[in-house]
Amino acid sequence: MASLSSLPPFAAIVVAAGKGLRVGGDVPKQFRHWRGRPLVRHSVEALLAAGAQPLVVVIGADARDDAEAALSGLDSVRFVTGGASRQDSVRNGLEALADDAPERVLIHDAARPDLPLPVIERLLEALERQPGAIPVLPVVDSLAMAGQGNIMAGTAQRESLRRVQTPQAFRFAAILAAHRAWQGATLAGDDAQVLVASSGSVALVDGDECLKKITFAEDLVDTIKAPAFRIGQGYDVHRLEVGEELWLCGLQIPHDKGLSGHSDADVALHAITDAVLGAIGAGDIGTHFPPSDPQWRGARSAQFLAHAVKLAREAGYEIGNVDLTLICEAPKIGPHRPAMRSAVAQIMGTTESAVSIKATTTEKLGFTGRGEGIAAQAIVALALA
Ligand code: MG
C-alpha cells in the first residue's frame, strides 16, 4: 500500500487481544464485521495507508486463525500474543518492536475502527515537541460525582477535563522505558498515563467523534454480515393545480400549474426518499415526516431526502446510483435535466454521474395524460461503505 510521504516514519501497535464479551456472540468483537469488514481490519488498513511500518497486531493466545482470516492479504502485519491485561498486551507489542527501534509508535485499539488521517497527522506533528501525544475531545455535559446510594456527592469542572481516545503517539524509546519501569500497584488506564508516571509530558491534540469505541451490541447489530448492496424503490403522485408552485428535484420549475400537497409536493424527491428508506428497511416518508405534523407544511422536500440519506449512511451505506422516471405530459423535463441531476446529487451528497433522470408521457392516457397530476418512480442502489 502506498504511504503518504509527508508524514514522518512511524511504527504502530493495534491492540486486538480483548475477548469483547459485552458485544455478545461467539467471536470476539474485533473479528466481527462492521461496515462490511472485520472490525480490526479497518484500523490496520488505515494505519498501513498512512505509512505505519512495522505494524504489530496484538492478539489473544488462541486467536491466531481468526486474526489471520480477518487480516488476510495484509502481508506486512506482524502478530504478537497479548498478556493478561491491555497494559501487558501493549508491553508485549512494544517489546516485539524493540529490535526495530522505530523513532515513533502509535498505539491504537481495534475497537475504534474509524480512524481519520488528520488525527494521525496531528499526533505525529505534536510528537516533534513532546515525547507523547494523544487525541482528546471536550466534555460537553456537566459532571456529577456519584456518592453512596446513587446520591450526588459533588461536581467536577468539565472545562479542564478531556475525553481521551486512541491512537496514542509516543517516542518509542520513551514509552518502552516507561512501560518497563511501571511500578503502579494498579493498572494504568492507558499508555499516556504510563508515560506521565515516568515524567514524560503528553501533548493533547484534537480527537474526532469518528473514533468512538464500539462497545455494545447495538453498535454492531445493524451491520453484522450486512449485504454489500441494497436496493429500494419509491413511487409518488401529486395533483397539478392552478395557483401552486411547481417543485421538481429540488428546483422551482416555471409552469402554468404546480403540485399540491402538504409539503412543497416535490413528487420526484418524495419518490427518491422512499427508495432510499426502502433500501434500508426504514419505513416510508410518512413514517419520518407525517403529513399530520404542521411543522412540515410547505417544507422543502430536500430535507426529507437528506434525512433519508443520513439514515442510510448511519446504517453503513453510500449511495450507489439513483434512477428516476418522471411521468407527465407537461412541463418538458429535458431542458431542466442537467440542473435537476446536479440538484439531486448535491442533496444526496453524491456525484451527478450517479443520478439518472428520465421522463416519459403516457400518450395522453390516464391522469398523467390528462395533465391532472405528475407521477414519479425511483430506484436507488446503496453500496456498503
Ligand atoms: Mg408525496
Side-chain angles (χ1 to χ4, degrees), residues 119 122-123 125-127 133-137 165 203-208:
V119 174
R122 289 196 284 272
L123 289 167
E125 206 263 329
L127 215 49
I134 59 176
V136 298
L137 291 174
Q165 302 181 310
L204 306 181
V205 308
D206 286 345
D208 195 309

Side-chain angles (χ1 to χ4, degrees), residues 35-347:
R35 296 191 178 173
R37 287 173 292 157
L39 199 60
V40 64
R41 191 174 181 106
H42 289 264
S43 352
V44 168
E45 285 185 346
L47 286 161
L48 288 175
Q53 185 61 37
L55 190 150
V56 168
V57 179
V58 188
I59 57 174
D62 50 1
R64 185 70 186 233
D65 290 348
D66 283 334
E68 281 182 354
L71 298 172
S72 65
L74 305 176
D75 298 333
S76 49
V77 169
R78 225 185 265 178
F79 293 109
V80 170
T81 303
S85 66
R86 182 189 180 280
Q87 197 170 330
D88 293 333
S89 292
V90 171
R91 197 171 56 246
N92 290 0
L94 290 167
E95 294 290 357
L97 288 169
D99 287 344
D100 301 272
E103 247 189 273
R104 308 163 190 84
V105 64
L106 262 57
I107 302 173
H108 189 47
D109 290 331
R112 300 178 191 269
D114 197 357
L115 171 51
L117 180 62
V119 174
I120 297 176
E121 291 170 340
R122 289 196 284 272
L123 289 167
L124 292 173
E125 206 263 329
L127 215 49
E128 296 299 311
R129 293 177 297 280
Q130 304 293 345
I134 59 176
V136 298
L137 291 174
V139 176
V140 293
D141 298 315
S142 67
L143 297 167
M145 312 258 291
Q148 226 175 2
N150 224 20
I151 299 299
M152 182 167 162
T155 61
Q157 289 303 313
R158 69 173 174 224
E159 290 78 8
S160 59
L161 295 173
R162 300 288 182 273
R163 293 182 287 144
V164 177
Q165 302 181 310
T166 76
Q168 303 191 343
F170 303 97
R171 294 279 166 166
F172 180 76
I175 191 65
L176 178 61
H179 264 276
R180 284 176 173 170
W182 175 262
Q183 296 294 322
T186 55
L187 292 172
D190 64 9
D191 303 295
Q193 293 176 23
V194 174
L195 185 67
V196 168
S198 61
S199 306
S201 59
V202 173
L204 306 181
V205 308
D206 286 345
D208 195 309
E209 292 289 354
C210 288
L211 274 166
K212 131 184 152 73
K213 198 170 189 170
I214 303 274
T215 310
F216 299 108
E218 60 259 35
D219 290 329
L220 276 170
V221 72
D222 284 342
T223 53
I224 292 169
K225 293 188 180 141
F229 295 96
R230 300 191 68 146
I231 292 172
Q233 63 93 29
Y235 176 78
D236 196 27
V237 169
H238 280 269
R239 186 185 294 275
L240 274 170
E241 283 178 4
V242 173
E244 294 278 357
E245 293 176 348
L246 177 60
W247 286 83
L248 287 174
C249 296
L251 303 174
Q252 192 175 0
I253 307 292
H255 193 48
D256 59 349
K257 290 189 236 172
L259 292 172
S260 78
H262 195 72
S263 63
D264 64 10
D266 189 326
V267 69
L269 294 190
H270 292 185
I272 299 172
T273 301
D274 264 358
V276 174
L277 293 172
I280 56 169
D284 59 26
I285 194 168
T287 316
H288 297 271
F289 306 97
S292 55
D293 188 335
Q295 70 169 305
W296 309 122
R297 182 183 299 281
R300 290 278 86 87
S301 297
Q303 65 189 297
F304 305 158
L305 179 54
H307 179 75
V309 170
K310 177 169 164 271
L311 294 179
R313 293 217 162 94
E314 284 170 2
Y317 287 89
E318 285 298 327
I319 303 302
N321 69 299
V322 182
D323 189 13
L324 172 81
T325 303
L326 284 162
I327 304 159
C328 58
E329 295 293 329
K332 288 263 173 277
I333 301 302
H336 304 289
R337 193 197 315 265
M340 287 176 167
R341 283 183 87 188
S342 164
V344 170
Q346 196 177 354
I347 295 163

Side-chain angles (χ1 to χ4, degrees), residues 5-43:
S5 54
S6 59
L7 293 178
F10 67 98
I13 297 170
V14 174
V15 185
K19 298 224 186 307
L21 296 178
R22 274 179 294 180
V23 172
D26 303 331
V27 182
K29 73 175 172 189
Q30 59 270 30
F31 304 124
R32 294 180 72 180
H33 278 235
W34 181 79
R35 296 191 178 173
R37 287 173 292 157
L39 199 60
V40 64
R41 191 174 181 106
H42 289 264
S43 352

